[in-house]
Amino acid sequence: MRASGRGETTDDLLAALLDGMDAALCAFDSDGVITHWNREAERILGWSAAEAVGRRGFAGWAVRAADADDVQERLMSVQEAPGRQVHEFPLLTKEGGRILVRTQSAGVPGADGRPAGVYCAFSEVHAQIDLERSIALSEALMDDASWGVVLVDVDLRPAVVNAHAARAFGSGRTTLLGRPLGELLSQGVEELEGALQHVLAEGAPPGPVELWVSLRTPEGERRRCWRCGFLRLASPLAEEPVPLGVGWLFQDVTEARQAELDTGQVRFRSNQLYRAGRAAAECADPAEAAAVRLDFALAGFAEHALVDVVAGDGRRLVRSAVSPSGLALVLPGPGAIPVRYEAAHPAFQALDRIGPVRASAPGAPGSEAAEGWARARQWPAGAAHALCTVLRSRGRTLGVLTFVRGPSRPAFDRADAAYAEEVGARVAADLDLAAR
């Protein structure tokens, strides 16, 4: 009784395992008689286990007569062959329709080592092809796709990184795994993590998202613009969707976006120069016209503009105006007190070079070092970046124009210097006319 109970339990367990599998399974004994038939096989072909078990092969019910011998021979031949064999057979459903299946079959040895039968797993060919395509797509994406692909786990750490993404981060594929995004990005990490958390909670956004980030590299920080797409990954094996992480795809569009920004910036600045010229033409006082030009130039460019006019031997600079103020520039008279600039001040460097000079505060924005840097140069409190350009008219140096930015803005670049020189040339013409 006990042995019989164990045997029944084993048979029940085997039947439950076979019925619970996603693949269609059947088994034959050494004479080709079907001994097992699971529910997936019933779903695909329509024949129940009661109708299938006990039949010899597929002849007469699940295969056409013309194909029966070939199918039977190929199935049973695996008893004598090592490993698994893959075949494709046209079978018949219970309703009489034909269906092409792909089988994987292997021999089952008995206790004495001799062939005891065959087991066969099969699926519809189109379903198998869909699976193979999915696997091939995953491998292609993870190998070297033209987009960066990163699989991020629920803790927002990279779990899989493809070659393109590794190159974009400037690191090896395995080096990036498991590291917090904050260690890889110095700027833009909050926006990226916010997007990933939104995808985990709400699902993928309706369209691509563009993010500006700054990468930490051995050569320093690199600012890039990435066009990103996100997919929420959920386990297909769970009864309810369980998030496994996020599939993050991105492409570098920095050059295109930077070109757009540069074009927009040039267009805006040209428009500002035009509007400033129209407004200055309505000023009866040339010094007032110069102040108007500075106020227009500051828009989107800097927080402050300082005008220092040359007095005496040319190594003395007298403060003439601070913009924005809405007041006309005041040309210094005899005996005016010069600004106490140190010898290496950027304004004096601009005079010596007869060209623009850029400078930025050391240390973190708002730090004591940055505040001392601005104070020592007689610039407004909070100054983080400065650009000095010389004012020249009719071959003479009239002074120095200084633009000052706060810590919320980036440092001045070459395009900024060119714009400052253009503004300086027009302000210098107004000052020359005012002096005459």
Coordinates of all heavy atoms in Angstrom, one line a residue, residues 108-141:
V108 N 14.9 8.4 -24.7 CA 14.9 8.2 -23.3 C 15.4 6.8 -23.0 O 14.9 5.8 -23.5 CB 13.4 8.3 -22.7 CG1 13.4 8.0 -21.2 CG2 12.8 9.6 -23.1
P109 N 16.6 6.7 -22.3 CA 17.2 5.3 -22.1 C 16.5 4.7 -20.9 O 16.0 5.3 -19.9 CB 18.6 5.6 -21.8 CG 18.6 7.0 -21.2 CD 17.5 7.7 -21.9
G110 N 16.4 3.3 -20.9 CA 15.8 2.6 -19.8 C 16.9 2.4 -18.7 O 18.0 2.8 -18.8
A111 N 16.5 1.6 -17.7 CA 17.4 1.3 -16.6 C 18.6 0.5 -17.1 O 19.7 0.7 -16.5 CB 16.7 0.6 -15.5
D112 N 18.4 -0.3 -18.1 CA 19.6 -1.1 -18.6 C 20.4 -0.3 -19.6 O 21.3 -0.9 -20.2 CB 19.0 -2.4 -19.2 CG 18.0 -2.1 -20.3 OD1 17.7 -0.9 -20.5 OD2 17.4 -3.1 -20.8
G113 N 20.0 0.9 -19.9 CA 20.8 1.7 -20.9 C 20.3 1.6 -22.3 O 20.7 2.3 -23.2
R114 N 19.4 0.7 -22.6 CA 18.9 0.5 -23.9 C 17.7 1.5 -24.2 O 17.0 1.9 -23.2 CB 18.4 -0.9 -24.1 CG 19.6 -1.9 -24.2 CD 19.1 -3.3 -24.6 NE 18.3 -3.9 -23.6 CZ 17.8 -5.1 -23.7 NH1 18.0 -5.8 -24.8 NH2 17.1 -5.6 -22.7
P115 N 17.4 1.9 -25.4 CA 16.3 2.8 -25.7 C 15.0 2.4 -25.1 O 14.6 1.2 -25.3 CB 16.3 2.9 -27.3 CG 17.6 2.4 -27.7 CD 18.1 1.4 -26.7
A116 N 14.3 3.3 -24.5 CA 13.1 3.0 -23.8 C 11.9 3.8 -24.4 O 10.8 3.6 -24.0 CB 13.1 3.2 -22.3
G117 N 12.3 4.8 -25.2 CA 11.2 5.7 -25.8 C 11.8 7.0 -26.2 O 13.0 7.2 -26.3
V118 N 10.9 7.9 -26.5 CA 11.2 9.2 -27.0 C 10.4 10.3 -26.3 O 9.1 10.0 -26.1 CB 11.0 9.3 -28.5 CG1 11.2 10.7 -29.0 CG2 12.0 8.4 -29.3
Y119 N 10.9 11.4 -26.0 CA 10.1 12.5 -25.6 C 10.2 13.6 -26.6 O 11.2 13.8 -27.3 CB 10.5 13.1 -24.2 CG 11.6 14.1 -24.2 CD1 11.4 15.4 -24.4 CD2 12.9 13.6 -23.9 CE1 12.4 16.3 -24.4 CE2 14.0 14.5 -23.9 CZ 13.7 15.9 -24.1 OH 14.8 16.8 -24.1
C120 N 9.2 14.4 -26.8 CA 9.1 15.3 -27.9 C 8.4 16.6 -27.3 O 7.3 16.6 -26.8 CB 8.3 14.8 -29.0 SG 8.0 15.9 -30.4
A121 N 9.1 17.7 -27.5 CA 8.5 19.1 -27.2 C 8.3 19.8 -28.5 O 9.2 19.8 -29.4 CB 9.5 19.9 -26.3
F122 N 7.1 20.4 -28.6 CA 6.9 21.0 -29.9 C 6.1 22.3 -29.7 O 5.4 22.5 -28.6 CB 6.1 20.1 -30.9 CG 4.8 19.7 -30.4 CD1 3.6 20.4 -30.8 CD2 4.6 18.5 -29.7 CE1 2.4 19.9 -30.4 CE2 3.4 18.1 -29.3 CZ 2.2 18.8 -29.6
S123 N 6.1 23.2 -30.7 CA 5.4 24.5 -30.6 C 5.1 24.9 -32.1 O 5.8 24.4 -33.0 CB 6.2 25.6 -29.9 OG 7.4 25.8 -30.6
E124 N 4.2 25.8 -32.2 CA 3.9 26.3 -33.5 C 5.1 27.0 -34.1 O 5.8 27.8 -33.3 CB 2.7 27.2 -33.5 CG 1.4 26.6 -33.0 CD 0.3 27.6 -32.9 OE1 -0.3 28.0 -33.9 OE2 -0.1 27.9 -31.7
V125 N 5.4 26.9 -35.3 CA 6.6 27.4 -35.9 C 6.6 29.0 -35.8 O 7.6 29.6 -35.4 CB 6.7 27.0 -37.4 CG1 7.8 27.9 -38.1 CG2 7.1 25.6 -37.5
H126 N 5.4 29.6 -36.0 CA 5.4 31.1 -35.9 C 5.7 31.6 -34.5 O 6.3 32.6 -34.3 CB 4.1 31.6 -36.5 CG 2.9 31.4 -35.6 ND1 2.6 32.2 -34.5 CD2 1.9 30.5 -35.6 CE1 1.5 31.8 -33.9 NE2 1.1 30.7 -34.6
A127 N 5.2 30.8 -33.5 CA 5.5 31.2 -32.1 C 7.0 31.0 -31.8 O 7.6 31.8 -31.1 CB 4.7 30.3 -31.2
Q128 N 7.6 29.9 -32.3 CA 9.0 29.7 -32.1 C 9.8 30.8 -32.8 O 10.8 31.3 -32.3 CB 9.4 28.3 -32.7 CG 10.8 27.9 -32.5 CD 11.1 27.6 -31.0 OE1 10.2 27.4 -30.2 NE2 12.4 27.7 -30.7
I129 N 9.4 31.2 -34.0 CA 10.1 32.2 -34.8 C 10.0 33.6 -34.0 O 11.0 34.3 -33.9 CB 9.5 32.4 -36.2 CG1 9.9 31.1 -37.0 CG2 10.1 33.6 -36.9 CD1 9.3 31.1 -38.4
D130 N 8.8 33.8 -33.4 CA 8.6 35.1 -32.6 C 9.6 35.1 -31.5 O 10.2 36.1 -31.1 CB 7.2 35.2 -32.1 CG 6.2 35.6 -33.2 OD1 6.7 36.0 -34.3 OD2 5.0 35.4 -33.0
L131 N 9.7 33.9 -30.8 CA 10.7 33.8 -29.7 C 12.1 34.0 -30.1 O 12.9 34.8 -29.5 CB 10.5 32.4 -29.0 CG 11.5 32.1 -27.9 CD1 11.3 33.1 -26.7 CD2 11.3 30.7 -27.4
E132 N 12.5 33.4 -31.2 CA 13.8 33.5 -31.7 C 14.1 35.0 -32.2 O 15.2 35.5 -31.9 CB 14.0 32.6 -32.9 CG 14.0 31.1 -32.5 CD 14.2 30.2 -33.7 OE1 14.4 30.7 -34.8 OE2 14.1 29.0 -33.5
R133 N 13.1 35.6 -32.7 CA 13.3 37.0 -33.1 C 13.5 37.9 -31.9 O 14.3 38.8 -31.9 CB 12.1 37.5 -33.9 CG 12.0 37.0 -35.3 CD 10.7 37.5 -36.0 NE 10.7 37.1 -37.4 CZ 9.5 36.9 -38.1 NH1 8.4 37.2 -37.5 NH2 9.6 36.6 -39.3
S134 N 12.7 37.6 -30.8 CA 12.8 38.4 -29.6 C 14.2 38.2 -29.0 O 14.9 39.2 -28.6 CB 11.8 38.0 -28.6 OG 10.5 38.2 -29.0
I135 N 14.7 37.0 -29.0 CA 16.1 36.7 -28.5 C 17.1 37.4 -29.3 O 18.1 38.0 -28.8 CB 16.3 35.2 -28.4 CG1 15.4 34.6 -27.4 CG2 17.8 34.9 -28.0 CD1 15.4 33.0 -27.3
A136 N 16.9 37.3 -30.7 CA 17.9 37.9 -31.6 C 17.9 39.4 -31.4 O 19.0 40.0 -31.5 CB 17.6 37.5 -33.0
L137 N 16.7 40.0 -31.2 CA 16.6 41.4 -31.0 C 17.4 41.8 -29.7 O 18.1 42.8 -29.7 CB 15.2 41.9 -31.0 CG 14.9 43.4 -30.6 CD1 15.6 44.3 -31.7 CD2 13.4 43.6 -30.5
S138 N 17.1 41.1 -28.7 CA 17.8 41.4 -27.4 C 19.3 41.3 -27.6 O 20.0 42.2 -27.1 CB 17.3 40.4 -26.3 OG 15.9 40.6 -26.1
E139 N 19.8 40.3 -28.2 CA 21.2 40.1 -28.4 C 21.8 41.2 -29.3 O 22.9 41.7 -29.0 CB 21.5 38.8 -29.0 CG 21.2 37.6 -28.0 CD 21.6 36.3 -28.6 OE1 21.8 36.2 -29.9 OE2 21.6 35.3 -27.9
A140 N 21.0 41.6 -30.3 CA 21.5 42.7 -31.2 C 21.6 44.0 -30.4 O 22.6 44.8 -30.6 CB 20.6 42.8 -32.4
L141 N 20.6 44.3 -29.6 CA 20.6 45.5 -28.8 C 21.7 45.6 -27.8 O 22.3 46.6 -27.6 CB 19.2 45.7 -28.1 CG 18.0 46.1 -29.0 CD1 16.7 46.1 -28.2 CD2 18.2 47.4 -29.7

